[in-house]
Amino acid sequence: MVQQKNLVDEVSGWLRLYDDGSVDRTWTGPPEIKFMVEPVPPHHEFINGVAVRDTITNNNLRVRLYLPEKVSNEEKLPIFLHFHGGGFCISEPDWFMYYQFYSQLARLARVIVVSSFLRHAPENRLPAAIDDGFSALLWLQCVAGRETEEPWLEKHGDFCRVFLIGDSSGANIVHEVAARAGKSKLNLIKVAGGIPIHPGFMRSTRSRSELEKPQSPFLTLNMVDKFMTLALPLGSTKDHPITCPMGDGAPPLRGLKLPPFLLCLAEMDLIFDTEMEYYEAMRKAKKDVELFVNKGVTHSFYLNKIAVDMDPTTGAQTDALIARIKQFIEQH
């Protein structure tokens, strides 16, 4: 007799947790959105100016690489180490939403993107995803030292210009991996900058923006609360250092060795106020941090392909975001 499992909790459309510990991440939201959460196969031929391949690192981490077209033999490109979002609980870097943006970013900014497949909570609570992100950085060090092979990076990658970039919860990982890198001996690569986009920084008490700003397809209060409950170490609140690096419980920002940061925010983001609190804390700690705010758009707007194509404001703000990222890497 097959024992029936019972639903314990769910995050609408995204995730269902059962009493046997299993997790179902099948998309059950509006069907017109489903294409954005479906995987895009790798293609070694250039399509729309970019080739894509998946590989396994020497520390057993799966990564996806994006290489722009028409790279000369002598040309060395900056390397973007990318950490996907999803509240530490959902999403994969091969989803169409990431493919459509990061293939475009690789082509327009002339960078090689290395996107890490990160372990999910609640099966693997934090700091598992951060450990994976740092493992990906260590793999780049191994490739730079010819301890392991990766032909695109060996031929075209500039290991002195590695930039950490992440969306939403992946932006939290940018901060954490940058802090770890600052304490590590990485003599074959240089972390030249960090680009946290719409980081999941928050507190256990609601901010004004959480109470007043609109919820969006990619961030609701339900998602904020439930994903953090599932992802943070047991017994932790949203005041944990991973979600509140500007809080009293986090290592003092002044003591961290961090590269230059470009903090990218969306004006209508639910968690805009606590993201700005992080920016002000970084400035107070005398960190090199630039701020770029997209006007009139919500959390992770640039990943919403429907809005990018159909709404002129979203399309224009996506172009502006890519242009500002390109400017940042050209300056570093």
Side-chain angles (χ1 to χ4, degrees):
M1 181 178 177
V2 178
Q3 186 174 358
Q4 185 176 358
K5 58 185 181 182
N6 299 304
L7 185 67
V8 174
D9 207 351
E10 64 179 319
V11 184
S12 56
W14 296 103
L15 176 150
R16 286 149 301 286
L17 177 65
Y18 294 93
D19 57 1
D20 64 354
S22 62
V23 180
D24 181 8
R25 295 182 174 86
T26 306
W27 173 251
T28 60
E32 62 271 20
I33 292 176
K34 187 179 179 184
F35 78 97
M36 287 195 285
V37 301
E38 291 182 336
V40 177
H43 49 84
H44 292 197
E45 71 278 12
F46 288 96
I47 299 176
N48 295 325
V50 176
V52 179
R53 64 187 299 267
D54 294 344
T55 192
I56 303 295
T57 70
N58 60 340
N59 44 21
N60 207 34
L61 183 71
R62 185 181 170 199
V63 296
R64 166 158 288 200
L65 295 98
Y66 298 80
L67 178 70
E69 198 171 12
K70 298 178 181 176
V71 184
S72 68
N73 288 331
E74 298 77 25
E75 189 177 5
K76 295 291 186 180
L77 301 179
I79 299 169
F80 272 22
L81 182 56
H82 168 243
F83 311 121
H84 65 78
F88 307 107
C89 294
I90 59 167
S91 89
E92 301 287 1
D94 61 359
W95 279 9
F96 179 80
M97 68 169 69
Y98 296 112
Y99 172 84
Q100 61 89 18
F101 182 76
Y102 282 94
S103 58
Q104 185 181 18
L105 187 61
R107 176 173 56 85
L108 295 176
R110 301 292 293 169
V111 299
I112 300 174
V113 178
V114 179
S115 190
S116 309
F117 286 75
L118 307 170
R119 283 175 290 171
H120 293 127
E123 303 96 322
N124 302 281
R125 285 181 176 265
L126 292 168
I130 295 161
D131 293 341
D132 291 345
F134 189 63
S135 291
L137 185 65
L138 294 179
W139 174 68
L140 291 181
Q141 165 101 343
C142 290
V143 176
R146 300 298 191 265
E147 296 175 42
T148 189
E149 295 182 354
E150 206 313 300
W152 286 0
L153 291 173
E154 290 173 47
K155 188 174 183 180
H156 300 299
D158 184 350
F159 292 97
C160 292
R161 296 180 71 204
V162 175
F163 293 84
L164 310 177
I165 186 169
D167 324 278
S168 191
S169 58
N172 298 50
I173 298 175
V174 168
H175 176 90
E176 294 293 330
V177 170
R180 289 192 189 187
K183 297 185 291 185
S184 303
K185 188 178 181 181
L186 300 172
N187 54 337
L188 300 177
I189 63 174
K190 179 184 177 182
V191 178
I195 308 170
I197 308 177
H198 310 173
F201 296 148
M202 57 196 70
R203 290 186 179 273
S204 57
T205 53
R206 290 271 191 245
S207 66
R208 182 173 177 177
S209 60
E210 284 179 288
L211 295 172
E212 296 182 358
K213 297 208 172 184
Q215 302 185 64
S216 71
F218 289 154
L219 193 67
T220 65
L221 292 176
N222 178 262
M223 292 167 67
V224 168
D225 295 343
K226 290 192 173 180
F227 281 154
M228 293 308 101
T229 298
L230 295 172
L232 287 167
L234 288 171
S236 301
T237 70
K238 285 182 279 189
D239 294 319
H240 189 280
I242 294 173
T243 42
C244 191
M246 62 286 189
D248 293 338
L253 292 172
R254 191 179 294 272
L256 301 181
K257 183 181 177 183
L258 298 173
F261 269 30
L262 172 64
L263 176 62
C264 300
L265 305 184
E267 182 185 28
M268 302 307 292
D269 197 329
L270 269 181
I271 51 177
F272 182 81
D273 286 0
T274 36
E275 292 169 332
M276 281 299 298
E277 188 183 348
Y278 170 78
Y279 170 67
E280 295 297 343
M282 287 278 281
R283 288 186 62 198
K284 187 177 180 180
K286 308 297 183 185
K287 299 304 175 187
D288 184 350
V289 55
E290 300 174 47
L291 178 67
F292 178 70
V293 180
N294 285 108
K295 303 295 185 181
V297 284
T298 59
H299 192 85
S300 296
F301 68 92
Y302 57 96
L303 298 179
N304 186 343
K305 180 63 171 170
I306 297 173
V308 170
D309 288 347
M310 302 293 289
D311 175 51
T313 297
T314 304
Q317 290 296 322
T318 299
D319 292 342
L321 175 62
I322 292 174
R324 186 63 184 88
I325 292 171
K326 186 173 185 287
Q327 181 186 44
F328 178 75
I329 63 172
E330 289 171 348
Q331 294 169 342
H332 297 87

